[in-house]
Amino acid sequence: MPLYGALEAGGTKMVCAVGDEQGNILERVSLPTRTPEETMPEMLAFYRGKDLSALGVGCFGPVDLDRGSPTYGSILATPKLPWRDYPIVQRFEEALGLPVGFDTDVNAAALGEATWGCTRGLASSIYVTVGTGVGVGVVIDGRPYHGMMHPEAGHLFVARHPDDPMPQGVCPYHPNCLEGLASGPAIERRWGKKAQELSDRPEVWTLEAYYIAQALCGYMMILSPQRIILGGGVTHQEHLLPLVREEVRRQLGGYLVGKALDDLEDYIVPVSLSDNQGVMGAVRLAMDALAR
């Protein structure tokens, strides 16, 4: 059975793994994300000598996914300055001599769930992660969606709640995008404590549900996905998901109808792969790269 390298490349850590075509993760290691000069040799050392057929990379962004572009496979204007304009795919191809599949970290997570998780068998789905930032991966007809570039739906503009005590979101680009108003840093700025320290404050989670639900309603209107997955550190608050479902129903106002909307508990769901969806999606990216 062929083996595949998988990399979930994040802003704080690089999860390097080896998996098989059943989605089993056979080996993994987590490395801190430092500079390319420091981190790339460590990652290459992990993958070398493992008889891999291909490598899949789900990477923090923004990234260039246009195969016709001279900068395809590069990390673009990331706030992680040492990685800005870094040709990560080219470096792996040159060093390992393997086909390399490449996408965003959230598209990889969405693909992992669509291949082995709770959206398997569905034609369309989205994966939303709410943590240090907000990212959205979109799968349509079984493939991660790319348009002009990749979805950046974490920066969808949302209407501020009239009772929000924070005068402006934390995003340096937009005063009222979802990431700026609902991410972990936004919660900490607004309330003066980290999300995990605010579990017993209902006003925190009512407001959080308002912003997340507003974005989900927008995604539903535009993409009409067959299922929505909510992940990320902020969603580990068990009482948040029921609040989001309730708020989605309220904000939709009865406009959308359908079997899925009759059972929001089965439509807006938590992750199903024990937070391995990103690295498992990278395995699928590697499989697709080999098939190409």
Side-chain angles (χ1 to χ4, degrees), residues 14-93:
M14 300 286 194
V15 180
C16 303
V18 175
D20 63 22
E21 59 191 20
Q22 303 303 317
N24 298 310
I25 302 303
L26 308 174
E27 185 179 353
R28 66 188 293 162
V29 65
S30 180
L31 304 168
T33 303
R34 298 191 292 270
T35 67
E37 291 74 23
E38 295 170 297
T39 307
M40 282 298 294
E42 295 177 332
M43 293 192 291
L44 292 170
F46 173 82
Y47 293 118
R48 285 192 174 111
K50 289 185 165 53
D51 194 27
L52 302 176
S53 297
L55 173 68
V57 178
C59 187
F60 64 90
V63 295
D64 188 347
L65 300 178
D66 180 1
R67 293 182 175 277
S69 167
T71 58
Y72 166 75
S74 294
I75 302 170
L76 301 177
T78 174
K80 298 285 290 185
L81 295 180
W83 292 87
R84 183 168 289 189
D85 300 321
Y86 187 74
I88 189 168
V89 169
Q90 181 183 348
R91 294 291 183 266
F92 276 122
E93 288 176 337

Side-chain angles (χ1 to χ4, degrees), residues 111-125:
L111 185 60
E113 289 281 5
T115 304
W116 292 291
C118 63
T119 53
R120 184 176 185 176
L122 300 180
S124 63
S125 58

Side-chain angles (χ1 to χ4, degrees), residues 51-262:
D51 194 27
L52 302 176
S53 297
L55 173 68
V57 178
C59 187
F60 64 90
V63 295
D64 188 347
L65 300 178
D66 180 1
R67 293 182 175 277
S69 167
T71 58
Y72 166 75
S74 294
I75 302 170
L76 301 177
T78 174
K80 298 285 290 185
L81 295 180
W83 292 87
R84 183 168 289 189
D85 300 321
Y86 187 74
I88 189 168
V89 169
Q90 181 183 348
R91 294 291 183 266
F92 276 122
E93 288 176 337
E94 292 171 346
L96 299 176
L98 296 173
V100 177
F102 186 56
D103 215 309
T104 65
D105 49 359
V106 284
N107 264 357
L111 185 60
E113 289 281 5
T115 304
W116 292 291
C118 63
T119 53
R120 184 176 185 176
L122 300 180
S124 63
S125 58
I126 67 173
Y127 169 85
V128 183
T129 179
V130 185
T132 303
V134 178
V136 180
V138 179
V139 170
I140 296 177
D141 292 332
R143 293 182 174 274
Y145 174 71
H146 304 158
M148 175 185 68
M149 50 182 297
H150 47 79
E152 282 288 343
H155 290 268
L156 181 78
F157 299 159
V158 293
R160 290 175 49 80
H161 193 286
D163 297 328
D164 190 340
M166 185 169 64
Q168 183 172 306
V170 300
C171 174
Y173 297 97
H174 315 118
N176 63 327
C177 70
L178 180 64
E179 180 170 295
L181 291 170
S183 63
I187 293 172
E188 186 174 1
R189 172 82 62 84
R190 180 183 290 115
W191 304 107
K193 293 182 180 179
K194 294 185 180 298
Q196 58 265 34
E197 301 174 60
L198 296 162
S199 297
D200 59 348
R201 298 274 299 276
E203 69 275 21
V204 173
W205 305 107
T206 298
L207 186 62
E208 184 72 3
Y210 172 84
Y211 286 127
I212 294 174
Q214 189 179 160
L216 296 191
C217 289
Y219 306 151
M220 292 163 69
M221 297 290 188
I222 296 167
L223 297 171
S224 197
Q226 291 171 292
R227 184 165 288 149
I228 297 172
I229 304 169
L230 277 185
V234 169
T235 67
H236 290 167
Q237 300 286 330
E238 293 182 358
H239 48 285
L240 178 59
L241 202 52
L243 291 172
V244 169
R245 295 184 186 116
E246 180 182 335
E247 188 64 15
V248 163
R249 192 178 300 281
R250 186 190 72 80
Q251 292 189 25
L252 285 176
Y255 180 70
L256 296 182
V257 295
K259 182 179 178 181
L261 301 181
D262 293 335

